[in-house]
Amino acid sequence: MVSFRSLALWRLILPLSILVLACPVWAAKVKLDPSHWGHPAGSACVSCHTKSSAGLTQQWQSGAHAEAGVNCMDCHQAERSDVDAIEHEGQTIATIVSPKDCGRCHVKEFTEQQGSVHAEAYAIIEDRVPALAHNIGGVPMQGASCDQCHGSRVKVRGDGTLDPATWPNSGIGRINPDGSKGSCSSCHGRHRFSKAQAREPSACVRCHSGPDSPDKEIFEASKHGMIYAAHRDEMNLDAAEWVAGRDYTAAPTCVTCHMGAAGKLPSTHDVGLRNVWSLNTPVSKRQLLVMFEDGHKLEIPADVPAPRRGTELTRVDGTVGVVKAVVPPERRRQAMSLVCVECHGKGFTDSFMSQFDSVVELYNAKFGEPARAIMDNLYREGLLTLTPFDEPIEFVYWELWHDEGARARHGVSMMSPNHAWWEGMYLVGRNFYARFLVAARALAGEQADALVDSVLSASEHHRWLDDPDQASAILGFMGGEAH
Ligand code: HEC
Ligand code: HEC
Ligand code: HEC
Ligand code: HEC
Ligand code: HEC
Ligand code: HEC
Ligand code: HEC
Ligand code: HEC
């Protein structure tokens, strides 16, 4: 996630400054005075839109904004100089109400969301879309798939209207015409903008489902999902405040663990704060959380020295930030565990975390690292081109870490034994032995021993293949071949 330019900088580094995640220092809660809303042109919008688009007006009417007197113009007003300003019924408005616009009144949520991994969701795919979406799909597929979850770079046409190739979507890292990132209506459906609705797992699962981030399926298959389904009526979802252990105890939802308040731990709109690992990478690494002077954040692997306060680093979107503090993985684990201990014992929680970490380490050592080493060998010897997704083995490898491998790791982190094993590690193993190694040996030809098998024999984990009879019987059954 970090550019190579900054790699060199990490090596200069010394101590960690530790930030207590339980103390929301960067999140002063600021609100506008009510005299700032109730725009006089708002009532004309409402009366006409009650006829022309009754549904959205009704949704606004049922939400907290109408109740507080925040009207259409308070959100949709624009300056003539805004690139996406349009003249509409005598007023200057913009169709997109960006996080920055919401942030005029909701400073805390805006600041946390802009600094989160969610805000980088478009930046991380911008250079990869052509390879995957365009080779297999085509331009229209990007708008209908990747962009709906990750967001697009919204383009404005000459007359201020939005280019249909890039809008509508409410992607979580969308680059808006005003430069702000994401869309608050990803989770808070418009025009009700309810917090109760966003506390439901359904606010997340539109994006967090499917082969590589099957969190919906995992949650439903876990004991937490089981208890949530049985006791949803005790979840107190409509409460003004929603602190686990105080306002509800029946079961956790996605929000409880990743965003919600628990005991003394404050709620946050930065979903990455409490996560230790990168789970959607070929090899998982524990992650440092770098916090910048300007409120932005960046995850970097914890196996390189932490950047020192004051260091400049290049971020995912290419901007440069000055390091303010670095949160080590242990701190992030501590924050997540504070959630668990509202309902479980500390010993139980620590033991669960140790089971989780061991499986991630096993995945790395047995499959993730060897598969990556073999791919590196094939690239180095020129047996593969550097272009992504133009050779069959690149798909096999990708499915190994990105689909089956991510499923196993997500499954174990969120307590679904089915995803950890049957839909996860079992399939990783089958792919590795029966597809990946076969394809790699075929490509390596006479160099197979040096480029492929030497990697395996360096690891304890593949000794069971040393007995040729056993190996050929098992691999024959799986569809691969013994060496
Ligand atoms: C006299 C009726 C009328 C009034 C007053 C009116 N609108 Fe509209 N508005 C419409 C109709 C009809 C459409 C759909 C057709 C179109 O896009 O022009 C629309 C479209 C819109 C759109 C979508 C534009 C797009 O990109 O497609 C927005 C946003 C909007 N109105 C907001 C407002 C706001 C804010 C106000 C108050 C300043 C307002 N409207 C006042 C009738 C009205
Ligand atoms: C709390 C802020 C807020 C208020 C109040 C608000 N809107 Fe919106 N509106 C939004 C957001 C956010 C979007 C989504 C734009 C995007 O990101 O694509 C939107 C989109 C729209 C759209 C285009 C999307 C569609 O579904 O057609 C229309 C039309 C619209 N609003 C009209 C209105 C009208 C009319 C009112 C008053 C009854 C109103 N809005 C009040 C925030 C607001
Ligand atoms: C259903 C929603 C959804 C769609 C559609 C989608 N993604 Fe993702 N993508 C996600 C989520 C959620 C993650 C985060 C997974 C995690 O970290 O747990 C992600 C992660 C990624 C990542 C980073 C980690 C990884 O797994 O490689 C890349 C790159 C990526 N997506 C590219 C794409 C591209 C390109 C497309 C379109 C071809 C696409 N995605 C379509 C939801 C989606
Ligand atoms: C990833 C999903 C998600 C996104 C994106 C999101 N929110 Fe939220 N938001 C939530 C959840 C969940 C809650 C309820 C949290 C709780 O009570 O624990 C919430 C609560 C809120 C609240 C109520 C806070 C309170 O203390 O009463 C406001 C205001 C808010 N969000 C504004 C925003 C704004 C502004 C944005 C965009 C900058 C945004 N949200 C983006 C999920 C989201
Ligand atoms: C002009 C000020 C203003 C703007 C702009 C604004 N809000 Fe609000 N918002 C309020 C007020 C006032 C309330 C009600 C009081 C409160 O909950 O603090 C509120 C409440 C909320 C809530 C809590 C709703 C609930 O169920 O209790 C959410 C979520 C929210 N806003 C999200 C947004 C989002 C997303 C945007 C941008 C699309 C936005 N707001 C734009 C002033 C604003
Ligand atoms: C509109 C799509 C969308 C919605 C809705 C959404 N997410 Fe995400 N989420 C993503 C994408 C895409 C990524 C990967 C972003 C990246 O790596 O930069 C992601 C990443 C994450 C991560 C990984 C953070 C890390 O440390 O790498 C967590 C945790 C997460 N989301 C939780 C949630 C929760 C909880 C909700 C619901 C309250 C939610 N998300 C709603 C698309 C979404
Ligand atoms: C009981 C608490 C809990 C619940 C409920 C929960 N998660 Fe998680 N989630 C975790 C833990 C713990 C991890 C692993 C964090 C780490 O890396 O240390 C995790 C990991 C993730 C990741 C991967 C982050 C990465 O590092 O790549 C995503 C995405 C995610 N969760 C989304 C969700 C969504 C969406 C839901 C609801 C459908 C959900 N979670 C429900 C605790 C929970
Ligand atoms: C709001 C309360 C709540 C929170 C918070 C919570 N859990 Fe749970 N958890 C439960 C309940 C209730 C059960 C089901 C109890 C049972 O029958 O075993 C459960 C079950 C489990 C189980 C399965 C136990 C078994 O014996 O099968 C594990 C593992 C677990 N939780 C881990 C965690 C972890 C780790 C966290 C924090 C990341 C967490 N939980 C957060 C309420 C919670």
Side-chain angles (χ1 to χ4, degrees):
M1 272 212 181
V2 70
S3 82
F4 287 108
R5 258 183 294 165
S6 50
L7 271 171
L9 290 173
W10 308 347
R11 299 183 196 283
L12 307 173
I13 322 295
L14 296 164
L16 295 184
S17 65
I18 293 176
L19 223 120
V20 186
L21 288 178
C23 169
V25 282
W26 60 88
K29 194 160 184 166
V30 185
K31 274 212 183 109
L32 270 187
D33 183 86
S35 63
H36 288 82
W37 63 79
H39 196 290
S43 52
C45 322
V46 177
S47 62
C48 187
H49 273 271
T50 303
K51 290 170 249 138
S52 70
S53 44
L56 73 78
T57 311
Q58 185 56 50
Q59 284 141 17
W60 166 76
Q61 216 109 43
S62 331
H65 288 121
E67 198 182 313
V70 176
N71 67 40
C72 320
M73 263 310 261
D74 291 322
C75 282
H76 284 280
Q77 63 183 285
E79 301 288 334
R80 279 224 162 74
S81 54
D82 294 350
V83 280
D84 59 342
I86 51 174
E87 293 304 317
H88 182 65
E89 304 295 338
Q91 299 293 329
T92 307
I93 67 162
T95 299
I96 286 186
V97 179
S98 74
K100 192 171 163 195
D101 298 326
C102 310
R104 196 160 67 88
C105 298
H106 301 297
V107 180
K108 172 182 184 288
E109 291 78 10
F110 169 62
T111 313
E112 290 170 354
Q113 178 267 348
Q114 289 298 290
S116 76
V117 251
H118 268 160
E120 302 306 335
Y122 182 68
I124 62 163
I125 69 163
E126 190 162 21
D127 61 339
R128 296 202 223 179
V129 167
L132 194 60
H134 294 176
N135 287 3
I136 294 194
V139 177
M141 269 330 292
Q142 182 186 330
S145 66
C146 323
D147 292 0
Q148 295 297 321
C149 296
H150 287 265
S152 58
R153 185 178 286 281
V154 178
K155 296 211 173 78
V156 184
R157 298 186 288 200
D159 60 356
T161 59
L162 305 171
D163 176 355
T166 63
W167 185 87
N169 69 71
S170 50
I172 202 89
R174 187 179 72 186
I175 313 288
N176 297 298
D178 64 7
S180 66
K181 294 174 186 171
S183 141
C184 307
S185 60
S186 307
C187 298
H188 297 288
R190 62 183 182 268
H191 272 78
R192 207 183 291 257
F193 297 107
S194 145
K195 59 185 179 196
Q197 172 261 314
R199 290 168 180 157
E200 299 262 12
S202 56
C204 321
V205 302
R206 174 166 66 96
C207 304
H208 288 278
S209 51
D212 62 329
S213 193
D215 311 305
K216 168 185 193 288
E217 297 84 345
I218 288 169
F219 177 70
E220 285 169 358
S222 74
K223 228 167 177 183
H224 292 136
M226 165 186 113
I227 304 282
Y228 173 76
H231 300 293
R232 194 182 163 280
D233 56 337
E234 295 166 24
M235 292 294 293
N236 208 9
L237 290 162
D238 288 322
E241 295 199 26
W242 202 59
V243 182
R246 188 190 78 190
D247 301 309
Y248 67 102
T249 51
T253 68
C254 321
V255 168
T256 306
C257 296
H258 293 289
M259 301 179 70
K264 291 206 175 68
L265 186 72
S267 71
T268 174
H269 271 62
D270 182 344
V271 291
L273 225 49
R274 305 170 186 171
N275 292 346
V276 168
W277 291 96
S278 60
L279 296 179
N280 281 60
T281 40
V283 173
S284 284
K285 301 237 166 130
R286 289 184 171 82
Q287 303 279 314
L288 298 171
L289 185 69
V290 179
M291 315 193 47
F292 294 98
E293 300 280 0
D294 61 5
H296 286 253
K297 303 192 193 79
L298 176 71
E299 306 229 23
I300 58 175
D303 57 3
V304 296
R308 219 174 9 171
R309 192 189 166 94
T311 311
E312 290 192 341
L313 281 190
T314 306
R315 301 180 286 212
V316 182
D317 63 2
T319 58
V320 174
V322 179
V323 176
K324 181 172 156 202
V326 178
V327 186
E330 309 79 64
R331 271 289 190 210
R332 309 176 75 184
R333 171 58 54 79
Q334 211 175 20
M336 179 67 86
S337 301
L338 282 175
V339 179
C340 318
V341 298
E342 287 299 320
C343 299
H344 297 289
K346 185 165 185 310
F348 174 96
T349 301
D350 291 348
S351 300
F352 168 80
M353 292 299 180
S354 132
Q355 288 181 352
F356 162 42
D357 291 344
S358 318
V359 172
V360 176
E361 281 155 6
L362 175 72
Y363 162 84
N364 278 348
K366 184 158 183 171
F367 301 114
E369 282 160 3
R372 189 178 59 182
I374 291 169
M375 288 300 282
D376 286 350
N377 287 346
L378 298 173
Y379 283 116
R380 199 191 52 241
E381 293 301 314
L383 296 165
L384 291 172
T385 66
L386 289 176
T387 316
F389 299 114
D390 68 337
E391 281 128 344
I393 196 174
E394 290 176 324
F395 284 89
V396 175
Y397 174 58
W398 185 65
E399 287 179 6
L400 185 126
W401 69 261
H402 178 270
D403 290 5
E404 296 131 12
R407 222 146 51 214
R409 287 172 280 170
H410 283 229
V412 68
S413 73
M414 289 178 276
M415 307 105 196
S416 165
N418 172 50
H419 291 84
W421 176 241
W422 292 119
E423 302 198 34
M425 206 69 90
Y426 179 73
L427 297 181
V428 173
R430 195 165 78 178
N431 181 336
F432 183 79
Y433 292 119
R435 293 174 67 203
F436 176 73
L437 289 182
V438 175
R441 289 194 187 107
L443 269 171
E446 287 178 354
Q447 292 172 272
D449 270 347
L451 302 184
V452 181
D453 291 291
S454 63
V455 175
L456 295 187
S457 43
S459 155
E460 286 299 317
H461 289 293
H462 306 286
R463 292 276 180 268
W464 69 284
L465 282 178
D466 287 350
D467 174 350
D469 291 341
Q470 190 188 11
S472 65
I474 292 175
L475 296 184
F477 167 74
M478 283 181 164
E481 63 186 41
H483 60 287

